[in-house]
Amino acid sequence: MRSPSLARLNYRAVSGLTRTARFQPQGFLGSRCVSTAALRSPGVAPAYQSVLKQWEQRRNASASASAVLEAAAASPETLSQAAIIDNLDPVEAARLDKVRNIGIAAHIDSGKTTVTERVLFYTGRIKAIHDVRGRDGVGAKMDSMDLEREKGITIQSAATFCDWVKKDKEGVDQKYHVNLIDTPGHIDFTIEVERALRVLDGAVMILCAVSGVQSQTITVDRQMRRYNVPRISFVNKMDRMGANPFKAIDQINTKLKMPAAAVQVPIGAEDEFEGVVDLIRMKAIYNVGESGEELKETDIPDKVKKVAEERRAMLIETVADVDDQMAEMFLDEVEPTEDQLRAAIRRATIGLKFTPVFMGSALANKSVQPMLDGVVDFLPNPSEVENLALDQKRNEASVKLVPYNSLPFVGLAFKLEESNFGQLTYIRVYQGTLRKGSNVFNARNNKKVKVPRIVRMHSNEMEEVTEIGAGEICAVFGVECASGDTFTDGQLGYSMSSMFVPEPVISLSIKPKQAKDAANFSKAMARFQREDPTFRVTYDNESEQTIISGMGELHLDIYVERMRREYRVECETGQPQVAYRETIGEHTKFDHLLKKQTGGAGDYARVMGYMEPTGVLEENNFQQQIVGGSISEKYLFACEKGFNISCEKGPLIGHKILGTRMVINDGATHMTDSSEMAFKNATQQAFRKAFMESQPSVLEPLMKTVVTAPSEFQGDVIALLNKRGATINDTETGVDEFTIYADCSLNGMFGFSSNLRAATQGKGEYTMEFSHYEKAPPHVQKELIAKYLKAQAERNKK
Ligand SMILES: Nc1nc2c(ncn2[C@@H]2O[C@H](COP(=O)(O)OP(=O)(O)OP(=O)(O)O)[C@@H](O)[C@H]2O)c(=O)[nH]1
C-alpha cells in the first residue's frame, strides 16, 4: 500500500491536471443558458410552452431557482427539451430525486435473488425471508416460476418496487421509490439482462467474495457498457471460506478495466464476518435482530482501524483519478468532507468512470441495507440519465426525453409476458404520464391502442394503478405490440432505439407427441416467440419440421419443459443442431440468362456481375452498379429480393449465408417477357451458381467457454476439453479451484454438462457464450454437405 503522500506525487507525475474529459455535473438548475424568447417562438410545441410557463411561475416564486435564460443556437424544439433538462422544474426535480430504477445483474449463483429477497424484506415489501431452494420449500419471491424454484435458477427477470427510507444529513427520513429488476445469470437467458439494462438507470453488480470477477461478470459488464448504465458493486458471500473482497476489487480494476475502490471494509471474514466499516463516515455498522433488520453503529474497532484508513486513502485517490474536483482537493492535500467525498463518488459513478464497492453477506443478513443507501447515494435518478429518441417527423433528429409528468407521453415496451389475464406489456415511461383508459400510439405502425389497465409488478403479483408518471416502470394489459416498440401520445413522432438481440446459435426439431395437441403447441410457440426475441420458431418446408432456435441447450430445454407444464403438451425433439452458416469463397463473376418461352408471355431476365466476400463474417451486402438502364429500378428491386431470399438458405447445407456481397452491374430486359418474378428468379439462380463456383465454406459458431472446478479435477477437465477439440487460452489457479478459458466449437460441446458433472463429482461448472463464426474443419464440412445431399435425395425420392 502506497503512503498517501507518495500516491499524491505519483498522481501529479502521471496525470497532472491535463485531463480533457471533464465531467459536467447535471444539476437540477444547471448552467446551460437559453432564451425565454426562443422558448416562446411559434415552433415550440404548446405542451412545452405550458410546461415552461409553469416552471417559470414556480421559479419566480422560488428564490433558489434563479437560472438566467439566455440565447443559445439550436432549433426551437431541441432547445426547449434541452432547456427543460438543464433547468428542471423544482417540483419535478424533487419528485425525480426520490426515484431509482435499478437492475441486479451478475454471474450465475452470485446471490442476485438472495440479495433481492433481503432488499424486499428490509423495505417492508415482504413479511418474511425465503431462500432460493430454501428448506421451507417456499422459494424466493422473485423466482416465481415453479421451474425457477425447483432448479434454483432465475429464468425470467422479475420486476418489483419498494420504498427505501434513508435519513438525510439533518436526520430526517427521506423516502425513495426503487423500481428493481432481478435478472438471470445464465447466458442462455441473456436477453433478459439486455432488456432490463436497456431501460434501467443504474445497476448493482454482484460478485462472489470467493470467485470475484467470473465469466458472466464480464458479459454483464459489457452489457452495462452497451447501455451506459452506471453501477455500484456488491461483493456478496463474505461469510464463505476464502472470501476476499479486495481480490474482487482488484479484478474489477484489472479484468473489467473499471476503476473501483472499496467504500467499506469488512470486520472479520468467513464465519467470523461481523459487519462493515463505512469509509465515508468512518463508522462501524453491524446488523442486529433475528433477520438483521436493525443496524447498530459504533466506532471503528481497533483491529480494522489501520485497514480502514488505508482503504479510505485508496478510495480518495481512485476517485481523484477520475474526478477533477476531487483531484484538485487531493493535490492541495485537503481532506474531503463526507459530503464532498460522497458527491465526488456520485459524479464519477454516474459519469461511468468509477464503481464504489460495497460488501456483505445476503444469506447471513449482513450489510445489505448500507448497499441500499449506496443505490440512493450513488446511482442516478431518471433526470440524470440522458435518454434519446429519434424524431421521425424531423428527419430522425435526435431529441432528449424529459422525465416530466406534464409533457407528451413517450414509453418503451421492453418485455412481454403472457398472464392469466392476457398479454402483459412492461413499459418504461420516459416522458409524460401513462393513464388508464387513455389512447397511445405505437410508433412502429402508428396504430392507436387503448390502455385498459395499468399495474405495478411485484414479481408475479400486481397492484392496480390509474396512472404512472415519467421515469417509472409499469406493466399494462391489452396492448398488442412487439418487444422494443415505442409508444407515444400521438402528437410526437418519437421512436426509441431497441435493445441488442443476439442471434440464436442452436436449434432442434420439435413436434407434439400427440396430434390432438397441435393447437396448444402452436399457441405456446407463438407466445414464447413473442415474449423472447432470442427464441425463434421456423418451419422447414423441405424436412416438414418445426425448428426452434435459441441461445443454448438449457434455453431450449426450458421451453420444452414449459410446454409440458403450462400447456400440457408433451413434445418429441430431435438432436440439437448447431446454427451453421455458409460463406462465399473467392471473387466470382456471373452472367446468367433466364429465358423461357412456353406459349403466351415468356420469362426473360439477364443479370451480370460478380460475387465476393465482404471481408467480415457478418451481414451480407447487395449492390447495383447499373449504368445506362439495362435493368430498370423496379427489376433491380426484385433482384435484391432474390438476393435476400438466397441468403436465408445457402446452397451448401441449407443454412443462412454470412459475409457475402453480390454486385449486379449489367443485364438485359425484354420488352414484353421481363417481369419482377423473372429478375428475382434469375438472381437466385445466378447466386446459387456463382456461390457454388467460388469454393464456399461452412462456418461454425465458436464459443468462449469458461470452466471452474475444484483443483483436484484440473487434469480430468483438461483431458475432457482436449477430447472435444477445445483450444485452451488461459488457466487461472485459485486457492482451491481453477478456471480454464477456452474456445470450443459449439458442435464439440453437446452433452458437455453431463460429462463435466461426472468428471468433477458434480462440483464443476461452466459457461459458454457465442464468440464468432469460423470456418468449420474440412472433415466436418464434408460430413455436413454429404448429410444434406443425402437428406435432399431422400426427399426427392418421396
Ligand atoms: N454462503 C453464502 N451463500 C449465499 C449468499 N447469497 C446467496 N447464497 C447462496 O448462493 C446460491 C445462489 O443464490 P441465488 O440468490 O439464487 O443466486 P442468483 O445469482 O440469483 O442465481 P441465478 O439467478 O440462477 O444466476 C444459493 O444457494 C444461495 O443460498 C451469501 O451471502 N453467502
Side-chain angles (χ1 to χ4, degrees):
M1 162 71 205
R2 282 184 284 170
S3 76
S5 54
L6 183 60
R8 242 169 228 134
L9 270 176
N10 284 348
Y11 180 80
R12 247 185 242 276
V14 175
S15 61
L17 278 176
T18 55
R19 265 163 295 135
T20 47
R22 287 181 68 91
F23 177 72
Q24 295 292 337
Q26 287 270 321
F28 294 135
L29 291 166
S31 54
R32 177 107 57 101
C33 296
V34 279
S35 97
T36 20
L39 294 171
R40 302 206 175 291
S41 72
V44 179
Y48 296 116
Q49 287 184 342
S50 93
V51 166
L52 280 160
K53 202 164 154 203
Q54 282 171 26
W55 174 77
E56 275 177 73
Q57 280 164 359
R58 288 183 193 151
R59 187 197 57 158
N60 292 339
S62 151
S64 64
S66 59
V68 181
L69 302 173
E70 282 180 6
S75 77
E77 279 172 48
T78 318
L79 184 62
S80 59
Q81 295 265 4
I84 296 167
I85 280 268
D86 279 1
N87 300 285
L88 269 185
D89 171 345
V91 175
E92 288 278 16
R95 175 183 73 83
L96 292 164
D97 181 41
K98 296 286 181 305
V99 178
R100 298 290 181 277
N101 293 308
I102 60 159
I104 298 206
H107 182 83
I108 310 155
D109 275 358
S110 319
K112 295 176 289 294
T113 308
T114 310
V115 169
T116 311
E117 188 81 358
R118 273 39 178 197
V119 168
L120 295 179
F121 179 72
Y122 297 136
T123 54
R125 222 41 207 109
I126 55 173
K127 297 281 166 278
I129 291 173
H130 297 287
D131 282 320
V132 177
R133 267 183 296 209
R135 270 183 233 122
D136 59 8
V138 177
K141 177 76 201 169
M142 301 301 272
D143 282 347
S144 61
M145 266 167 81
D146 287 347
L147 253 175
E148 292 181 319
R149 291 183 175 187
E150 274 168 39
K151 292 189 183 269
I153 57 168
T154 305
I155 294 169
Q156 288 187 330
S157 57
T160 188
F161 61 96
C162 52
D163 289 329
W164 179 236
V165 178
K166 181 177 184 285
K167 288 213 182 308
D168 65 12
K169 265 193 309 192
E170 279 77 40
V172 181
D173 281 352
Q174 296 291 344
K175 193 156 91 179
Y176 291 83
H177 183 73
V178 181
N179 289 306
L180 189 152
I181 298 185
D182 172 25
T183 63
H186 278 274
I187 190 77
D188 287 36
F189 312 115
T190 196
I191 187 68
E192 293 287 293
V193 187
E194 285 292 334
R195 52 179 153 209
L197 292 178
R198 167 67 186 84
V199 296
L200 291 170
D201 302 325
V204 179
M205 180 172 82
I206 299 188
L207 297 106
C208 167
V210 182
S211 311
V213 168
Q214 294 171 275
S215 57
Q216 269 308 99
T217 326
I218 296 172
T219 310
V220 164
D221 170 65
R222 206 168 43 235
Q223 291 170 317
M224 288 178 184
R225 287 174 197 266
R226 173 148 51 232
Y227 302 108
N228 292 332
V229 177
R231 73 193 87 166
I232 62 170
S233 304
F234 181 71
V235 178
N236 188 31
K237 305 199 183 182
M238 280 301 301
D239 58 316
R240 270 190 64 189
M241 216 161 76
N244 181 355
F246 303 123
K247 186 186 97 185
I249 294 171
D250 283 349
Q251 290 178 344
I252 302 176
N253 277 294
T254 53
K255 287 192 178 176
L256 304 185
K257 308 230 166 0
M258 166 60 84
V263 288
Q264 298 173 332
V265 291
I267 306 170
E270 304 180 347
D271 52 358
E272 285 172 5
F273 175 62
E274 296 167 51
V276 293
V277 174
D278 176 342
L279 298 181
I280 299 172
R281 293 187 303 129
M282 290 307 261
K283 285 275 175 215
I285 307 173
Y286 302 91
N287 284 74
V288 286
E290 199 185 330
S291 307
E293 55 272 32
E294 277 173 45
L295 293 180
K296 187 179 86 181
E297 268 189 31
T298 66
D299 287 337
I300 303 173
D302 287 343
K303 62 179 179 185
V304 289
K305 248 191 187 141
K306 187 162 173 279
V307 67
E309 274 157 17
E310 283 172 359
R311 287 282 161 181
R312 181 181 153 93
M314 277 175 94
L315 169 66
I316 294 173
E317 187 191 336
T318 315
V319 177
D321 257 333
V322 291
D323 179 77
D324 285 352
Q325 289 183 39
M326 186 54 59
E328 271 162 40
M329 294 181 74
F330 185 74
L331 291 172
D332 295 342
E333 306 198 4
V334 175
E335 186 69 17
T337 62
E338 246 180 72
D339 283 351
Q340 284 168 331
L341 183 52
R342 208 173 275 123
I345 297 174
R346 180 175 180 78
R347 279 194 301 271
T349 308
I350 296 177
L352 305 167
K353 296 177 194 159
F354 177 74
T355 177
V357 186
F358 294 78
M359 53 200 69
S361 164
L363 194 64
N365 303 324
K366 288 194 176 123
S367 196
V368 172
Q369 294 97 326
M371 181 273 286
L372 265 173
D373 284 347
V375 165
V376 166
D377 284 342
F378 305 129
L379 291 181
N381 75 50
S383 73
E384 292 170 295
V385 179
E386 188 179 74
N387 286 301
L388 299 173
L390 295 179
D391 189 347
Q392 293 166 335
K393 291 186 184 162
R394 288 198 304 128
N395 280 338
E396 308 265 303
S398 149
V399 269
K400 275 187 191 177
L401 296 176
V402 185
Y404 264 30
N405 284 343
S406 44
L407 282 174
F409 165 73
V410 182
L412 182 80
F414 64 96
K415 182 177 156 88
L416 310 180
E417 204 178 282
E418 196 76 21
S419 80
N420 296 340
F421 310 101
Q423 184 180 299
L424 193 59
T425 306
Y426 286 74
I427 292 187
R428 159 84 199 244
V429 181
Y430 283 96
Q431 180 173 291
T433 306
L434 182 61
R435 290 190 179 84
K436 180 177 167 172
S438 66
N439 288 320
V440 289
F441 287 78
N442 188 331
R444 185 169 46 90
N445 51 21
N446 221 9
K447 268 197 186 148
K448 184 162 100 174
V449 237
K450 200 173 169 115
V451 181
R453 270 177 81 192
I454 307 178
V455 290
R456 281 180 185 277
M457 295 306 294
H458 176 42
S459 186
N460 58 341
E461 291 163 19
M462 319 166 183
E463 195 178 296
E464 205 80 37
V465 289
T466 51
E467 61 176 42
I468 282 284
E472 297 265 2
I473 288 171
C474 67
V476 296
F477 277 105
V479 172
E480 270 303 315
C481 67
S483 187
D485 281 356
T486 306
F487 284 99
T488 67
D489 68 337
Q491 288 183 49
L492 298 172
Y494 289 0
S495 148
M496 299 191 73
S497 70
S498 191
M499 56 236 142
F500 170 77
V501 179
E503 279 291 309
V505 286
I506 186 167
S507 58
L508 44 84
S509 63
I510 184 166
K511 65 172 187 204
K513 276 188 181 159
Q514 298 183 16
K516 70 172 175 49
D517 289 332
N520 264 356
F521 175 81
S522 311
K523 222 157 97 191
M525 286 292 163
R527 168 188 160 189
F528 295 154
Q529 219 181 172
R530 226 179 14 241
E531 287 181 8
D532 178 354
T534 56
F535 176 75
R536 314 260 170 93
V537 184
T538 49
Y539 186 76
D540 185 7
N541 282 324
E542 279 181 18
S543 62
E544 297 180 344
Q545 284 178 325
T546 301
I547 309 285
I548 55 174
S549 316
M551 303 308 297
E553 278 178 282
L554 179 66
H555 189 204
L556 297 183
D557 281 354
I558 294 286
Y559 279 116
V560 175
E561 184 62 22
R562 285 184 63 187
M563 190 99 70
R564 192 172 70 75
R565 289 176 186 226
E566 294 168 34
Y567 289 86
R568 300 213 169 74
V569 180
E570 295 279 349
C571 288
E572 248 167 41
T573 53
Q575 279 298 313
Q577 302 286 325
V578 174
Y580 290 106
R581 295 286 181 263
E582 301 176 23
T583 196
I584 190 153
E586 53 197 30
H587 181 102
T588 307
K589 286 188 177 160
F590 61 83
D591 176 355
H592 184 75
L593 173 67
L594 181 144
K595 190 176 172 187
K596 266 191 239 158
Q597 199 68 60
T598 45
D603 277 333
Y604 185 97
R606 183 173 177 192
V607 286
M608 296 157 76
Y610 59 90
M611 285 177 65
E612 62 180 9
T614 55
V616 272
L617 288 177
E618 284 171 15
E619 294 196 347
N620 302 306
N621 174 249
F622 176 85
Q623 286 177 17
Q624 63 90 0
Q625 293 169 3
I626 299 282
V627 267
S630 52
I631 306 178
S632 71
E633 202 57 38
K634 181 168 78 169
Y635 295 151
L636 281 168
F637 195 68
C639 293
E640 183 164 5
K641 212 163 156 193
F643 170 78
N644 290 335
I645 295 172
S646 299
C647 289
E648 280 304 297
K649 195 163 179 145
L652 270 183
I653 57 165
H655 281 249
K656 285 187 183 168
I657 306 260
L658 281 187
T660 300
R661 174 177 299 124
M662 184 179 208
V663 178
I664 294 188
N665 53 20
D666 205 355
T669 310
H670 188 275
M671 285 279 280
T672 53
D673 290 353
S674 283
S675 65
E676 287 174 40
M677 180 65 88
F679 272 97
K680 185 179 85 115
N681 289 341
T683 309
Q684 280 179 259
Q685 290 164 3
F687 183 106
R688 189 182 178 82
K689 224 164 98 200
F691 189 85
M692 290 308 269
E693 281 170 17
S694 74
Q695 298 182 355
S697 322
V698 175
L699 303 169
E700 64 176 3
L702 231 81
M703 312 298 284
K704 270 200 207 94
T705 307
V706 183
V707 188
T708 308
S711 302
E712 68 258 38
F713 303 114
Q714 188 162 355
D716 297 328
V717 171
I718 290 178
L720 203 63
L721 285 168
N722 283 337
K723 211 167 124 196
R724 287 168 177 269
T727 311
I728 296 177
N729 297 324
D730 198 7
T731 309
E732 266 172 23
T733 332
V735 187
D736 44 22
E737 28 173 60
F738 68 92
T739 306
I740 293 179
Y741 298 84
D743 280 342
C744 317
S745 79
L746 178 59
N747 194 24
M749 292 299 281
F750 283 126
F752 182 72
S753 56
S754 44
N755 285 169
L756 181 69
R757 230 177 288 131
T760 60
Q761 296 170 6
K763 293 177 190 156
E765 51 176 63
Y766 81 108
T767 58
M768 205 165 66
E769 187 184 357
F770 171 71
S771 165
H772 61 280
Y773 274 100
E774 222 170 74
K775 280 186 188 164
H779 70 278
V780 175
Q781 296 204 32
K782 237 180 174 168
E783 256 171 49
L784 289 166
I785 293 170
K787 206 166 124 198
Y788 182 65
L789 290 177
K790 194 170 155 210
Q792 266 194 330
E794 273 169 19
R795 260 194 301 274
N796 291 341
K797 255 193 256 164
K798 277 184 197 168

